[in-house]
Amino acid sequence: MTDNAISHLFEKNRQWAWQTTEQDPNFFKVLSMQQNPEYLWIGCADSRVPANEIVGLLPGELFVHRNVANMVVHTDHNCLSVLQYAVEVLKVKHIMVVGHYGCGGVKAALDGVRLGLIDNWLRHVVDAKEKFKPELDAISSYDERFARLCEVNVIEQVKNVCQTNIVLDAWEKEQDVTVHGWIYGLEDGRLRDLATSVGVQNDSVQVYQNAIKQLFA
Ligand code: CO
């Protein structure tokens, strides 16, 4: 028996498995034999941004990596391993970096708050803040500055995905994989595209520069 305080989760799981099987008796049987997702989602660990639910995808349809502030750090072997497996083995067609407004990690970076070990992780967001200091300083509203940094952070991470040897090698082989940058609104549940999609046919530097220019226009 499990702890009473969380036993309701097992109850919820029983209901979910039962309902799913009611709708499709072969659902788990088919799924257990293979996974063949077309998408890799790189998102924030925030509990309010559940990947599958937001885009209405079922188990098996979305490969997911989440961390604080949806970061793609060049030396993060966890994220890179997910990326490599997704691109080279699963051969996903789309990789989306999904940020969200009101991100606590981005806010800590914006405010210069000290939280401990995580400061070192969020230092990459601080780097983005400093990179675009003139543009951000020119925005008088705090909320708007916060929103722009959330967006800039996504665009920076899309650039990082595009610069990995994994994606560069895939494009070298003309593999059909496109990287996207999206941002999610906690207040309305809507996704917004940040016009930073890059595929094998695009110049990723050009797309990056245009997306940044459009953001601060
Ligand atoms: Co967040």
Side-chain angles (χ1 to χ4, degrees):
M1 280 303 280
T2 176
D3 184 336
N4 276 339
I6 54 166
S7 61
H8 65 286
L9 296 181
F10 284 86
E11 181 52 36
K12 286 258 188 197
N13 169 251
R14 270 193 298 277
Q15 285 170 14
W16 173 77
W18 180 80
Q19 278 166 2
T20 306
T21 313
E22 272 290 284
Q23 281 163 17
D24 179 358
N26 288 318
F27 184 83
F28 292 110
K29 201 172 166 192
V30 170
L31 206 55
S32 68
M33 291 188 286
Q34 64 155 358
Q35 68 160 339
N36 191 23
E38 277 193 30
Y39 316 97
L40 165 61
W41 172 289
I42 300 174
C44 184
D46 194 302
S47 63
R48 299 165 295 179
V49 193
N52 282 68
E53 277 176 83
I54 287 172
V55 283
L57 290 178
L58 291 167
E61 295 182 321
L62 192 64
F63 202 58
V64 175
H65 177 77
R66 291 169 68 180
N67 61 41
V68 173
N70 42 269
M71 304 300 292
V72 177
V73 176
H74 288 307
T75 49
D76 177 7
H77 289 193
N78 184 350
C79 182
L80 292 176
S81 299
V82 170
L83 185 62
Q84 192 217 334
Y85 189 75
V87 172
E88 293 180 9
V89 181
L90 297 174
K91 296 208 171 357
V92 296
K93 297 258 190 305
H94 300 276
I95 300 165
M96 46 281 254
V97 175
V98 187
H100 67 102
Y101 294 117
C103 183
V106 174
K107 190 174 194 300
L110 181 64
D111 297 346
V113 175
R114 296 284 300 272
L115 298 167
L117 172 70
I118 195 171
D119 298 347
N120 302 289
W121 181 253
L122 294 176
R123 178 65 220 187
H124 297 287
V125 187
V126 177
D127 288 345
K129 178 181 83 166
E130 290 180 355
K131 186 172 172 183
F132 298 100
K133 192 174 188 305
E135 291 87 345
L136 291 166
D137 283 353
I139 302 167
S140 55
S141 151
Y142 174 86
D143 290 349
E144 211 176 300
R145 207 156 52 237
F146 182 17
R148 284 304 86 73
L149 187 55
C150 290
E151 293 163 344
V152 157
N153 185 48
V154 171
I155 296 170
E156 288 291 313
Q157 306 320 311
V158 167
K159 175 168 67 74
N160 289 348
V161 172
C162 295
Q163 288 171 341
T164 60
N165 61 352
I166 299 155
V167 169
L168 289 173
D169 286 351
W171 284 339
E172 185 81 33
K173 289 180 278 187
E174 300 277 308
Q175 191 176 327
D176 176 22
V177 57
T178 308
V179 188
H180 309 267
W182 296 352
I183 191 143
Y184 175 76
L186 295 175
E187 290 172 5
D188 61 6
R190 298 294 296 270
L191 282 168
R192 187 172 151 243
D193 188 287
L194 291 170
T196 187
S197 298
V198 190
V200 62
Q201 74 283 5
N202 301 112
D203 175 350
S204 68
V205 176
Q206 194 64 53
V207 171
Y208 166 79
Q209 285 170 348
N210 287 346
I212 292 290
K213 200 191 284 179
Q214 191 177 317
L215 201 65
F216 292 111

